[in-house]
Amino acid sequence: MARQEVVIGTTTFYLYTFAPRDALRIFGDLQKDLLPSLGGVLASVASEDGGDINPETLLAGIKSFSVSLDGKALDAWCDRLIDPERVTYEKNGKDARKLTKANMDDAFEDFAEILELLFHIIKLNFAGPLGRWLGLSGPGLKEKLGGLLGGSSPSSSESS
């Protein structure tokens, strides 16, 4: 089980990967709900041959993505991805504790921090398989999207 430490705002989160079967089910729903909308964004990145990304294509992809996620969908994904058995946090010198619905107001300063955590959970659990699939789908695509899917950010560290 991989572990990642992520600092968002003034809170340190500890993320653990999903069990393989759970990840498979979540990925199935994730690709159904999110990947079609992300297709426009990915297409704008993939279609460029070393040049700049076409802003009109990127904007169209982002608009498509935003249409698919209303408040109800975001809340459902929050419930699905933030599993208290797999996400703990520390804040203000207090010992790490499970992240539950009841203590989210303590863990986060604003909703953007929740979105950032969801991104890190998705990246931790699904970047590896997505990267492997991109490598199978053609030369160059994996490298162009490598910054989105792979590597550690300066505010995070990973361990196994």
Side-chain angles (χ1 to χ4, degrees):
M1 178 184 309
R3 175 182 179 239
Q4 181 179 33
E5 179 180 310
V6 178
V7 177
I8 301 173
T10 59
T11 307
T12 302
F13 295 92
Y14 302 96
L15 313 177
Y16 298 88
T17 54
F18 295 116
R21 290 286 304 256
D22 292 339
L24 181 66
R25 283 188 290 275
I26 292 169
F27 181 75
D29 293 339
L30 186 70
Q31 61 85 30
K32 180 181 141 216
D33 289 350
L34 301 181
L35 291 184
S37 296
L38 279 175
V41 177
L42 296 177
S44 71
V45 174
S47 67
E48 301 304 320
D49 294 325
D52 293 333
I53 294 171
N54 181 331
E56 291 82 21
T57 306
L58 182 60
L59 184 58
I62 292 171
K63 285 180 181 177
S64 171
F65 182 69
S66 67
V67 166
S68 69
L69 286 177
D70 60 10
K72 189 175 181 178
L74 283 171
D75 194 47
W77 276 109
C78 187
D79 288 345
R80 185 102 187 254
L81 294 172
I82 300 177
D83 176 352
E85 298 303 317
R86 301 197 184 277
V87 180
T88 59
Y89 76 101
E90 292 177 351
K91 188 171 185 177
N92 299 328
K94 296 179 183 175
D95 290 338
R97 55 193 172 270
K98 294 177 181 181
L99 181 58
T100 65
K101 282 184 178 183
N103 58 19
M104 281 193 151
D105 286 343
D106 176 55
F108 300 104
E109 296 297 320
D110 59 38
F111 76 90
E113 290 184 353
I114 298 172
L115 293 173
E116 186 175 345
L117 180 64
L118 293 176
F119 170 79
H120 285 289
I121 292 169
I122 290 169
K123 184 177 173 185
L124 173 66
N125 284 280
F126 304 111
L130 286 173
R132 288 192 300 270
W133 286 6
L134 290 173
L136 295 173
S137 60
L141 183 57
K142 182 178 179 179
E143 289 75 24
K144 287 182 181 183
L145 299 176
L148 294 173
L149 297 177
S152 298
S153 66
S155 64
S156 67
S157 62
E158 294 183 31
S159 60
S160 298

